[in-house]
Amino acid sequence: MRTGLFLTNEHTAPADLAARLPDQLRLASMAAEAGWSSVFTGQHYISEGTQRTQPIPFLARLSAEVPGLTLGTGIYLGAVAHPVSMAEDFASLDVLSGGHAVAGLGLGYRDEEFAAFGVERKQRVRRFERNLEIARDLWSGEPVDADEPWCRLEGATIGVLPVQDPLPVWIGGTGDAAVRRAALRGQGWIINPAAPAATLVDQAALYRSTSQKAGRGPGHVAAFREVFCAADDETARERALPYLAAKYGVYASWGQAAAHPGQQQLDGPTDQVAEGRFIVGGPETCRAALAELRDQLGVDELIVRTDWPELPPEHAVESLALLAAEVVPAL
């Protein structure tokens, strides 16, 4: 199992993002020094109340800080993107990282984002799938034709080609239809950190079986999880849970629960929201929970997020140091 770090690089508005960047770079460097394999980040637009950098320039900056690590998105909003821009963005990142990019793509779920880009929500699946087809055709370097309302190409080629052939695409998804899409159209499935463990065992089996039946092999399961470690369970809970509760309250206000099977609750009592989602505790607690997750789901890549808006940077540093020294090596 490979291990990666997820850096949201998100802060409560108003925030000085330039002043916060060194903290993010420090965490990335710590992961690299510990021998971790990857750094991922996400994407949102017009996220009222929070500020963040967009993923491709952020990952390009990180490529100079952590050479050789895989750099990926989890997720890039493929349904509202323009396929030419998406193709050139990821090809550029692949070149700048020396062939270590992963295009982690997803539909998205926020009405505000669909409205901002003039995308009808009911068209998001078709548009996502067509955008991916066009981007892959462009990555081949061959002339591409497309005749869509949002993209018309005649013998088009892009100005930069990826180093990797093919450039790996991982697809994020929470519902069963999205899991099947990841198995049939991507090389990997990114598990939503808000998805509780109770729904994931069956979905992991669905992903593997769908991929195998399609002749695509076992696929790649990348489990994005909220993980925080401190000297003991009590300290970890005191430090992390208030910030996780605030983060998931934002997710709830954005309507993310509607994307989950059964519209599972993302706000309310912290322990209720945390169950099956958050791994928070001392090293022994984190080791046991992560080992169980690995074994139940057949995780190929664990992607850990250990900092959230307003969490003191020194607490994130301590958590990552403990995970790197006392938790991950045991897995």
Side-chain angles (χ1 to χ4, degrees), residues 25 54 63 72 127 148 170 183 206 212 248 295 313:
L25 298 181
Q54 284 297 305
S63 70
R127 181 158 170 157
E148 300 292 346
W170 299 357
L206 173 65
Q212 293 277 21
Y248 277 67
D295 296 341

Side-chain angles (χ1 to χ4, degrees), residues 67-234:
L69 265 65
T70 296
L71 301 174
T73 51
I75 59 167
Y76 182 99
L77 299 172
V80 302
H82 191 282
V84 175
S85 176
M86 183 168 78
E88 296 222 19
D89 277 351
F90 281 104
S92 297
L93 180 62
D94 202 44
V95 169
L96 293 171
S97 66
H100 293 286
V102 168
L105 310 176
L107 297 180
Y109 61 91
R110 296 181 65 221
D111 289 336
E112 296 89 341
E113 289 166 331
F114 294 124
F117 288 90
V119 176
E120 293 186 35
R121 188 182 184 95
K122 64 183 180 181
Q123 293 294 323
R124 62 182 184 153
V125 173
R126 179 183 178 277
R127 181 158 170 157
F128 173 89
E129 293 179 351
R130 184 65 180 125
N131 283 351
L132 178 54
E133 289 174 355
I134 294 170
R136 280 185 162 140
D137 288 344
L138 289 167
W139 288 332
S140 76
E142 298 297 320
V144 176
D145 296 329
D147 186 11
E148 300 292 346
W150 66 92
C151 178
R152 290 187 170 90
L153 304 175
E154 293 185 8
T157 58
I158 54 177
V160 56
L161 295 178
V163 175
Q164 299 176 91
D165 183 17
L167 193 155
V169 172
W170 299 357
I171 295 175
T174 305
D176 287 355
V179 173
R180 291 189 185 93
R181 187 178 305 113
L184 295 174
R185 294 180 179 271
Q187 286 83 35
W189 168 43
I190 302 175
I191 294 174
N192 186 325
T199 69
L200 293 177
V201 175
D202 289 344
Q203 287 187 327
L206 173 65
Y207 171 75
R208 299 285 195 197
S209 65
T210 304
S211 183
Q212 293 277 21
K213 287 177 184 176
R216 297 170 57 85
H220 187 90
V221 174
F224 174 15
R225 294 280 93 180
E226 315 283 12
V227 185
F228 187 88
C229 193
D232 54 70
D233 289 358
E234 182 178 358

Side-chain angles (χ1 to χ4, degrees), residues 275-323:
E275 187 173 357
R277 293 188 175 99
F278 309 156
I279 296 173
V280 175
E284 184 176 349
T285 296
C286 291
R287 279 195 301 269
L290 288 170
E292 182 178 14
L293 179 79
R294 175 200 62 196
D295 296 341
Q296 284 184 333
L297 305 185
V299 173
D300 299 295
E301 186 136 0
L302 171 67
I303 304 172
V304 170
R305 178 162 60 182
T306 198
D307 76 310
W308 307 277
E310 304 311 307
L311 178 79
E314 63 271 18
H315 290 171
V317 166
E318 182 178 335
S319 173
L320 181 54
L322 284 169
L323 290 169

